[in-house]
Amino acid sequence: FLIFTTALLVKDLDKPTRVLYVLLRPQWRSWLVRGGYALVLYGCCLTFLGVTAALNWQQLTFILFWISAALAVIVAVYTAFLLAQAKGRDFWQSPTLALHMLVHALMAGAAVFGVATSFVDSTNAWQQFVSQTLVIALAANLVIVLVELVTPHPTQDAKRAVQIIVRGEYARPFWVGAIMLGNLLPLAWLIFGDGLLLPSLSVLIGIFCLEYVWVRAPQRIALS
């Protein structure tokens, strides 16, 4: 997934071959550059972490573990700051956007482990941990989305973006895909039901729907 993310970042450049220019002659104020370096450093740390773990170098593994964890947070949220640099899109200027993406990263990680538990052996304690993590992350995600949509926005463009999401063109993927399928149903399943496969798959679909809406809706508003 890290390689896939990096490939998408490169493809998103107007001239993908310019990625070397971005890395070798960086403009450090750009979150495209910062994100690119975060992805590279994160990949290097994960590689070294795997090597040290395989060689049982426990002290070095412990250090690399925490460095990798810090880089993982940066990789998870840097897109929020990249979007915020698009000053013409008022909806993306929200201070909750980074928190929104961090919670989504936790949801996605727990959901992937939830799917994996259906195909590999795991203890009841581990399954309970994954389930509880999903419940907490889903609850936090619903609160963040509610705050984002209910809190008065300072500009007309941001208010119009909210209207497009809640009652306009993207209302169906938002309410049905993101909220119902991606949050409320898996949350109810995890609390009252049994098993992790279906709610985890539902969470992953919901993350895709919500990110799709969050990225696309503000761009439906003309800049001039």
Side-chain angles (χ1 to χ4, degrees), residues 150-222:
V150 172
T151 301
H153 290 270
T155 67
Q156 287 299 318
D157 281 357
K159 293 175 182 177
R160 288 175 60 195
V162 172
Q163 293 301 315
I164 292 173
I165 293 171
V166 175
R167 291 198 292 267
E169 180 181 351
Y170 293 94
R172 182 172 296 178
F174 174 69
W175 290 111
V176 178
I179 300 302
M180 184 62 66
L181 181 61
N183 284 268
L184 296 180
L185 286 179
L187 187 60
W189 184 293
L190 291 166
I191 294 174
F192 302 108
D194 186 31
L196 285 170
L197 178 61
L198 291 180
S200 296
L201 290 173
S202 187
V203 165
L204 293 173
I205 294 171
I207 292 172
F208 174 82
C209 291
L210 189 56
E211 294 295 350
Y212 174 81
V213 169
W214 239 244
V215 170
R216 297 283 294 182
Q219 298 185 68
R220 303 300 292 174
I221 301 170

Side-chain angles (χ1 to χ4, degrees), residues 32 38 62 72 82 85 96 116 135 176 193 201:
L32 178 67
F62 178 80
L82 179 61
Q85 287 188 322
T96 66
V135 168
V176 178
L201 290 173

Side-chain angles (χ1 to χ4, degrees), residues 42 45 49 59-73:
Y42 185 42
C45 278
L49 181 63
Q59 187 172 2
L60 189 55
T61 299
F62 178 80
I63 295 172
L64 285 172
F65 175 85
W66 287 107
I67 295 175
S68 298
L71 287 169
V73 172

Side-chain angles (χ1 to χ4, degrees), residues 11 28 40 47 61 64 71 79 85 99-100 105 114 130 133 139 167 183 187 191 193 199:
K11 183 179 181 299
W28 289 110
V40 171
T47 302
T61 299
L64 285 172
L71 287 169
T79 305
Q85 287 188 322
L99 182 60
H100 165 98
V130 172
T133 302
R167 291 198 292 267
N183 284 268
L187 187 60
I191 294 174

